[in-house]
Amino acid sequence: MFLPVRGHNRGHDSDRGDTDGDSGSWDAGGESGRRSRALKAVGLGLTGVLMLGVAAAGLAYWHLNQNIKGVDINSALGDDRPPRPLSAPSANTADLPSGALNILVLGSDSRSGAQNKELGGGDSEGARSDTAMIVHIDAGRTSATVVSIPRDTLVTRPSCPLESGGSTAVAHYAMFNSAYSVGGPVCAVKTAEMLTGIRMDHYVEIDFSGFAKLVDAMGGVTVTTELDIDDDKSHLRLKAGTHHLDGTDALALARTRYGVGDGSDLGRIGLQQTLVKALLEQMSDSGLLNDPAGLYRVADAVTGSLTTDTGLDSLGELTTLGESLRGLSAQNVKTVTMPVVTAPWNPNRVVAQEPDAADLWTSLR
């Protein structure tokens, strides 16, 4: 009942400053009022969209965070480890970390889950570290060295604590990759530290399906092979040359051993190092770091099959590590293999070649 009164007063009250009929700016019941209500509706709509966006971002963050499995290696191993290298404190506490890092990276041949079984066969019992690399990142984090450890290297496997209680027995002349099968990530780290004398700052493990998903999320990977590959075990057949591989074929390449070279693990390591360099170059050249949607696809693929130490088991910690490595280009990553020779008593096993192996580890401390 108030609207007619307001309309009547507006038409006769010159003190309102309205000489233009229905165009009065103060009229809540006319065009101005409708415009005001429309603006409020738009504002509410934008607020709703913003809230949904925040919720979606939070859900995505939670999802990726929940994907990562963490293992408290520091608590399990205690102080019985090589010392951490001394590093100069940063002049600015807001700076990203820039000290040297050593990360043990394992490719697990665990066959748990339907996808892993399809890609690798077998079951989840007796899983081993199919691939082992120590990634040394130099101080300043603009260069790195990736050292591959042949999985059939004979080492002294130390006594390792077990999650269920107790510990494993010391084993002499054990294959390096057996450490993971008897004592999981904790024993893999302890064995790597005993072999090298280097403190592993972090541990990262990815399984078969995770690696294949990673490559697919990046749109495949382009590699060049110098020799024909024909391997009945990995089911990979490639002519020498350049090929663009999907995740399944890239995984097969990483696992190929018998269809290239002398059939030893050293031939497979060469293929793995070629693959690592190709992935790093593609990540750099594709501008992936500036593509949020692409980064999410890759992160979702990786985190779902990722196990780390508790220092990297959150998206925030992984993001900080990634940001600290922005100055590291593929051209500044060197790949080498731990110097080894055939074991005198077993032609199918290798042992560290000294003093070359010791010199390598010393250079990375």
Side-chain angles (χ1 to χ4, degrees):
M1 61 182 290
F2 294 104
L3 290 179
V5 173
R6 286 186 175 179
H8 173 77
N9 288 343
R10 185 191 63 209
H12 294 82
D13 189 351
S14 59
D15 291 338
R16 298 287 188 182
D18 179 10
T19 58
D20 199 19
D22 289 339
S23 64
S25 61
W26 65 277
D27 185 357
E31 181 180 345
S32 170
R34 289 191 295 273
R35 184 163 56 248
S36 176
R37 288 192 295 273
L39 289 173
K40 288 179 180 178
V42 170
L44 289 172
L46 289 174
T47 301
V49 169
L50 179 61
M51 291 177 65
L52 285 173
V54 171
L59 183 61
Y61 187 95
W62 178 87
H63 169 68
L64 294 177
N65 237 19
Q66 291 297 109
N67 277 349
I68 306 168
K69 297 181 287 291
V71 178
D72 193 352
I73 291 173
N74 286 336
S75 294
L77 295 184
D79 295 328
D80 185 20
R81 307 178 67 184
R84 294 185 186 278
L86 297 176
S87 57
S90 172
N92 183 355
T93 57
D95 287 345
L96 289 168
S98 59
L101 280 180
N102 292 297
I103 306 172
L104 178 62
V105 179
L106 297 186
S108 166
D109 71 352
S110 170
R111 278 69 183 257
S112 60
Q115 290 178 315
N116 279 325
K117 288 181 180 180
E118 182 180 349
L119 290 167
D123 54 37
S124 60
E125 295 299 321
R128 293 176 294 185
S129 51
D130 197 59
T131 301
M133 298 178 176
I134 292 177
V135 179
H136 172 79
I137 302 168
D138 294 324
R141 305 196 180 181
T142 58
S143 60
T145 302
V146 179
V147 184
S148 296
I149 302 175
R151 68 176 190 170
D152 50 9
T153 302
L154 297 179
V155 300
T156 295
R157 192 180 69 220
S159 175
C160 301
L162 296 173
E163 188 177 357
S164 57
S167 59
T168 65
V170 175
H172 299 286
Y173 304 114
M175 285 177 60
F176 178 81
N177 69 338
S178 69
Y180 180 89
S181 65
V182 302
V186 171
C187 198
V189 169
K190 189 167 185 179
T191 302
E193 291 184 341
M194 174 167 280
L195 173 66
T196 65
I198 297 173
R199 174 74 168 247
M200 297 296 121
D201 299 292
H202 292 298
Y203 170 84
V204 175
E205 173 195 332
I206 188 167
D207 64 21
F208 282 0
S209 66
F211 180 79
K213 289 178 181 177
L214 166 64
V215 174
D216 285 335
M218 291 179 60
V221 61
T222 300
V223 297
T224 299
T225 59
E226 297 180 358
L227 300 172
D228 293 346
I229 296 175
D230 188 352
D231 192 335
D232 290 334
K233 297 287 187 180
S234 67
H235 308 294
L236 183 67
R237 289 169 178 81
L238 292 176
K239 292 292 185 182
T242 300
H243 306 273
H244 189 75
L245 306 179
D246 63 10
T248 300
D249 284 343
L251 176 63
L253 181 67
R255 300 183 63 219
T256 290
R257 174 175 183 170
Y258 299 102
V260 62
D262 61 2
S264 73
D265 199 38
L266 298 179
R268 169 164 51 193
I269 284 175
L271 293 176
Q272 291 172 350
Q273 291 175 344
T274 296
L275 193 54
V276 167
K277 292 284 283 187
L279 285 169
L280 290 173
E281 289 170 0
Q282 181 159 325
M283 187 174 293
S284 176
D285 294 343
S286 66
L288 184 63
L289 295 177
N290 298 315
D291 177 11
L295 274 176
Y296 180 84
R297 286 194 303 273
V298 171
D300 192 34
V302 173
T303 56
S305 303
L306 197 66
T307 300
T308 73
D309 65 282
T310 49
L312 287 180
D313 65 349
S314 74
L315 197 59
E317 290 163 329
L318 285 172
T319 299
T320 297
L321 174 61
E323 289 177 346
S324 76
L325 300 177
R326 282 183 177 271
L328 177 62
S329 67
Q331 290 72 28
N332 289 331
V333 176
K334 179 170 63 175
T335 56
V336 299
T337 302
M338 184 184 87
V340 295
V341 294
T342 302
W345 58 92
N346 189 336
N348 296 317
R349 301 290 181 263
V350 296
V351 294
Q353 181 179 11
E354 299 297 357
D356 297 350
D359 291 343
L360 171 62
W361 303 131
T362 298
S363 72
L364 301 183
R365 292 187 188 126

